[in-house]
Amino acid sequence: MSNPLPIRIVGIDLGTTNSLIAVAKDGVPQILADPETGETLLPSVVFFPADGSAPLVGTPAKAHLLTDPARTVYSAKRLMGKGYADAQGEAANLSYALSPDRADVATIKLGDLGENQITAPEVAAHILRTLKDRAEAVLGEPVSKAVITVPAYFNDAQRQATKDAGEIAGLEVVRIVNEPTAASLAYGLQNKKSATIAVYDLGGGTFDVSLLRLEEGVFDVLATGGDTHLGGDDFDDALANHLLMGMNEAAPPAELRAAFRVAAEGAKRHLSDALKFDTHIHLPNGDTAVQTVTRETFESLIAPLIERTLAPCRTALKDAGLTAADIDEVVLVGGSTRVPAVRDAVAKLFGKAPHTGVNPDEVVALGAAVQADILASGRTDLLLLDVTPLSLGIETAGGATEKLLFRNAKIPSSAKEEFTTSVDGQTVVLLHVVQGEREMAADNRSLARIELRGIAPMPAGLPQIEVTFFLDMNGILRVSATEKRSGAQTDVRVKPTYGLADGEVRRMVRESFVNADADFKARMLADMGNEADAAIAGATKLLTGYGDAIATAERETVEAALSRLQAVRNTATDHAQVREAMDALDNAGRGLAEVAMSSVARSIVGGKTLDEARRVLDERLKEARPDDGG
Ligand code: AMP
C-alpha cells in the first residue's frame, strides 16, 4: 500500500504513566523507539527546572520525582479537562500542588513558592512534542498529524483538553480514538464482520474495562467501568509490605519503604516468567537484604486486588445487558496483564482465552497507528463510532432540560429542535447548554451559555429559534442557533470550562435513576409553569384589549381567576394545582375570548372567505396567546 502523498499520520498513546508513538509502514504498525536510548516507552513525566531552563521529559524527568517532587509533574492525564474543584480528589494523591487562582482549569503550581504555573494540557504537550521530535528523527521527515487515544469514559472536556495538548505541541489531531477501540484494531478485529469484545486494561495505576460491539467496521462502546486507583503499583505495595514484614520494622521510614517498593516491582516482573525469585533489596544503609518469593506467595498477596478488577467487569456486562457467554473476543492492555494470575482470572470470567500476541504496553499505540493509516489512506469503509456518555440538552424557560442528544447516542450525530421566546419583543435569547440525565437543568452540568442576538422584536411565541447540536467524531459539541424569521444566527463550539471528576458520569446517571420520581414531578411543574405564564400573558392581553366589551361582573370573575393563577403558579408544589387554576381561568375567560375573536374577525373578514378569515384569526390569536401545545 504505497501512498503517493507523503501525508503520514502518527498514532500516539498518551498514557497516565507511559506514552508511546507508532506509525504504519506498508500497512504494518510499528512502535518508534528513541534513536539514542532505544527506549520505546516514554515515561509521562515532565520536570520543570527552577532556573527556567528547558523542561526535561521522560526518563531524565523521572529521576527528579524524589528530589524535586514539587517541580516534577506525573499523572497529568488525571487532571486533563478538569477544573480546580473537580481536580481536588486527584490532588490529594499528587506530590505537586494545584493553584486555587483559576477555577476553570486545574493549574499546577511549580515549586514550593508556586512561582510558575502550568496546566495539564501544557504538560501533555511537552510529552507529545518529545514524541513528535522522536518520530521526525526516526522517519527523517516532518510529522504534523496525529491520532491520539483517550480512555473510553473521557468526556468532551477531557477529549478537548487532549486535542488542545496536541495543538500546543504543533500536531493536528485528526482523530481522538478510544483506547479499547485502538487495542482491538491492533489485533485486526475490525476485519471481522461482527463481534462483541471485552477490553481489560490494567496498567500501573488505573484499571479500565470496556465492552465494545463491532458491526460492519463500526465500533460501539456498550459499557465502561473500572477503578481509577487500582493497578500494578498496588501489586508492588502488597509485595513490599510482605517483604517488609521480614524486617521487623514497626514503622519503616519512607526511604526504606521506597527501597522495598523498587525491589518488589522488580520481583513482580520476574515472577511473571519464573516460579520463584531471590529479591535483592538495596537498603538505605548500603546493605543488601535477600528474600525469596514464590509466585504462589505473590499470587496470594494480589488475589484480593485481582478480585477488585472483576467486579467492574461484571457490572459492565450487566450495564450492557450481556453475559460472559456473549463475549467473542477478549483483549488485554497494560503491563500488569502480563501477570499470569491476572490472565487466568480474566479468561475464567469471560470463559475465553484472551488475545496476548501483541505487547500489552504497545497495543494501544499500535492500534492508533492502524487508525492513522486508515485515515491517511482515505479508506472510508472503516468508520469508527463511539457513543456519548451523557445526554446533551438545552434549559427551557421553566428550568427543565430539553434533551437533544440522548445518552448513548452514536458519535458523530446531530439533532435539531425548535424553541421560541416567552416574553414579548424579546431580541436576545440565552441558550443554556447542559449535560446530564436529570429532568431539571440545575441538577445537570452546565456546559455553556450562548446568546442569540438580533432577533426582530415579535410577540412571545412567534420567533422560531432552531437549535442544532452537532457532536463531532471526537465527541466535541457544536451548537448553532438560528431565528428563522429574522435570520439572526449564532454558532459556537462548546468548549466546556471544566471537566467532570472521574466516576462523575456514572454518578450522574445513577442519580437520575434515584431521583427519577422527584425529577419527573419537578419537570411537570416547570412545564406547567410555562403554560401558565403563556395563559397569564394571553388573558392579560385580552383583558386590556377587550375587557370593556364584557359585563363588569364577568370581567371581575376573569380578573379573579387570573390573580389566582398568578398566585398558584408561584406557590404550587404539584402541577395539578396549576392545571386546575388554568382550567378555571379558561372557563372564566371563555366569554371574553369569544368577544375578542369576533372583534378580530370583523376587522379582517372584509371580502375574504370564512376559511381564510379563520386562518388569519388563528395567526392573530397565536400572537395574543403563544401556542402552548408543545
Ligand atoms: P502501563 O501503565 O500499562 O505501562 O503498565 C505498567 C505496569 O505494568 C507497572 O505496574 C509495571 O510494573 C507492570 N509490568 C510491566 N511489566 C510487567 C511484567 N512483566 N509483569 C508484571 N507486571 C509488569
Side-chain angles (χ1 to χ4, degrees):
M1 276 203 284
S2 69
N3 202 323
L5 294 167
I7 22 157
R8 230 202 273 250
I9 308 177
V10 293
I12 295 177
D13 170 8
L14 183 61
T16 308
T17 323
N18 294 301
S19 298
L20 295 98
I21 188 163
V23 73
K25 284 185 188 161
D26 297 324
V28 181
Q30 50 194 75
I31 299 287
L32 301 178
D34 181 327
E36 275 166 35
T37 63
E39 282 178 42
T40 51
L41 296 177
L42 176 71
S44 302
V45 183
V46 184
F47 168 62
F48 297 89
D51 63 7
S53 56
L56 300 179
V57 181
T59 307
K62 235 176 139 177
H64 291 267
L65 275 173
L66 288 176
T67 53
D68 287 297
R71 302 194 143 270
T72 313
V73 182
Y74 62 96
S75 287
K77 186 172 177 177
R78 294 184 186 274
L79 304 175
M80 290 288 262
K82 290 187 181 172
Y84 179 70
D86 275 342
Q88 283 311 303
E90 292 296 344
N93 302 311
L94 301 170
S95 66
Y96 47 87
L98 298 184
S99 161
D101 296 353
R102 283 184 71 179
D104 59 336
V105 47
T107 308
I108 299 155
K109 278 202 286 199
L110 296 174
D112 298 331
L113 302 173
E115 56 277 28
N116 299 318
Q117 304 200 339
I118 196 156
T119 63
E122 292 172 286
V123 175
H126 282 291
I127 295 161
L128 293 171
R129 163 78 66 176
T130 305
L131 291 172
K132 175 181 186 296
D133 290 348
R134 174 193 290 189
E136 290 179 341
V138 176
L139 300 171
E141 64 185 43
V143 168
S144 61
K145 294 184 177 199
V147 166
I148 303 181
T149 59
V150 296
Y153 62 78
F154 255 28
N155 63 34
D156 43 13
Q158 292 166 301
R159 287 165 197 265
Q160 182 64 53
T162 305
K163 263 195 125 181
D164 291 347
E167 263 148 48
I168 299 168
L171 285 169
E172 181 195 337
V173 182
V174 291
R175 186 73 69 83
I176 296 280
V177 176
N178 286 334
E179 289 160 8
T181 301
S184 304
L185 291 175
Y187 278 105
L189 297 183
Q190 70 277 18
N191 298 319
K192 297 191 66 160
K193 204 168 151 21
S194 67
T196 305
I197 307 163
V199 182
Y200 178 101
D201 178 350
L202 188 62
T206 57
F207 169 62
D208 293 306
V209 60
S210 311
L211 301 180
L212 309 178
R213 177 71 195 160
L214 164 70
E215 203 86 57
E216 315 265 358
V218 174
F219 283 89
D220 250 7
V221 179
L222 301 178
T224 64
D227 186 328
T228 50
H229 292 278
L230 178 61
D233 298 346
D234 300 295
F235 293 2
D236 303 347
D237 283 341
L239 183 53
N241 286 340
H242 171 78
L243 294 171
L244 267 166
M245 286 201 311
M247 294 294 291
N248 288 324
E249 284 266 1
E255 253 193 320
L256 190 66
R257 285 199 135 272
F260 271 79
R261 205 172 296 119
V262 170
E265 210 254 342
K268 170 185 79 174
R269 287 173 184 257
H270 281 98
L271 289 171
S272 288
D273 300 312
L275 293 174
K276 205 165 149 189
F277 184 70
D278 294 331
T279 313
H280 288 65
I281 306 133
H282 303 288
L283 303 172
N285 66 7
D287 292 351
T288 298
V290 182
Q291 286 192 45
T292 303
V293 187
T294 63
R295 185 187 283 178
E296 207 185 337
T297 305
F298 175 62
E299 286 181 354
S300 69
L301 292 170
I302 62 168
L305 298 168
I306 296 177
E307 187 53 41
R308 264 176 64 195
T309 67
L310 301 182
C313 296
R314 294 191 188 102
T315 309
L317 281 171
K318 219 166 125 200
D319 286 351
L322 299 174
T323 67
D326 297 316
I327 302 297
D328 304 311
E329 311 280 343
V330 181
V331 173
L332 297 180
V333 180
S336 300
T337 61
R338 286 207 183 84
V339 175
V342 170
R343 292 190 176 182
D344 293 346
V346 176
K348 196 165 155 226
L349 178 74
F350 292 111
K352 207 147 273 106
H355 289 275
T356 54
V358 181
N359 180 333
D361 287 319
E362 300 179 349
V363 66
V364 168
L366 291 169
V370 171
Q371 170 71 81
D373 198 39
I374 292 168
L375 290 171
S377 68
R379 275 171 67 189
T380 51
D381 53 332
L382 277 169
L383 203 81
L384 304 175
L385 288 194
D386 293 316
V387 296
T388 177
L390 293 167
S391 301
L392 295 160
I394 290 274
E395 175 172 352
T396 63
T401 306
E402 187 69 37
K403 289 176 187 165
L404 271 86
L405 287 172
F406 288 83
R407 173 174 142 71
N408 286 335
K410 289 219 167 51
I411 297 175
S413 63
S414 64
K416 236 181 237 177
E417 182 122 2
E418 212 168 271
F419 294 86
T420 187
T421 52
S422 52
V423 177
D424 286 342
Q426 205 173 326
T427 57
V428 180
V429 168
L430 188 68
L431 297 168
H432 184 199
V433 182
V434 296
Q435 182 180 40
E437 304 317 305
R438 303 285 297 272
E439 291 288 346
M440 301 307 290
D443 295 324
N444 286 321
R445 177 166 173 261
S446 171
L447 282 189
R449 288 173 198 273
I450 303 162
E451 269 187 8
L452 176 62
R453 301 187 153 271
I455 301 171
M458 280 176 257
L462 218 51
Q464 297 176 343
I465 302 160
E466 189 175 84
V467 176
T468 308
F469 275 25
F470 176 64
L471 201 56
D472 75 9
M473 278 288 186
N474 301 307
I476 290 161
L477 180 66
R478 209 173 282 268
V479 177
S480 65
T482 309
E483 199 293 295
K484 288 196 194 156
R485 291 178 196 260
S486 50
Q489 202 175 340
T490 180
D491 194 345
V492 290
R493 190 169 75 163
V494 176
K495 189 173 163 183
T497 44
Y498 62 90
L500 287 180
D502 292 323
E504 198 88 335
V505 169
R506 260 165 277 153
R507 179 184 64 75
M508 288 169 78
V509 173
R510 203 170 51 237
E511 278 183 4
S512 75
F513 293 137
V514 174
N515 298 298
D517 273 354
D519 278 6
F520 181 70
K521 272 196 160 156
R523 182 179 184 137
M524 293 286 282
L525 186 60
D527 286 349
M528 199 54 75
N530 282 344
E531 285 188 38
D533 287 342
I536 290 166
T540 309
K541 258 190 205 174
L542 289 182
L543 274 173
T544 317
Y546 309 99
D548 293 342
I550 54 174
T552 312
E554 189 182 349
R555 193 176 68 229
E556 281 167 4
T557 316
V558 179
E559 282 166 352
L562 177 61
S563 336
R564 182 152 165 271
L565 177 59
Q566 280 167 325
V568 169
R569 190 247 175 277
N570 293 324
T571 54
T573 52
D574 190 299
H575 77 277
Q577 297 167 316
V578 186
R579 169 95 274 165
E580 190 262 322
M582 268 173 71
D583 288 346
L585 175 61
D586 228 34
N587 280 331
R590 200 155 281 165
L592 175 66
E594 265 161 31
V595 170
M597 263 199 271
S598 53
S599 155
V600 175
R602 259 200 312 279
S603 71
I604 56 171
V605 140
K608 294 180 182 125
T609 67
L610 203 60
D611 251 5
E612 268 177 284
R614 182 159 298 136
R615 231 175 355 96
V616 181
L617 187 59
D618 280 348
E619 268 290 300
R620 290 281 179 100
L621 279 178
K622 211 171 171 187
E623 291 176 30
R625 184 175 164 175
D627 185 8
D628 60 7

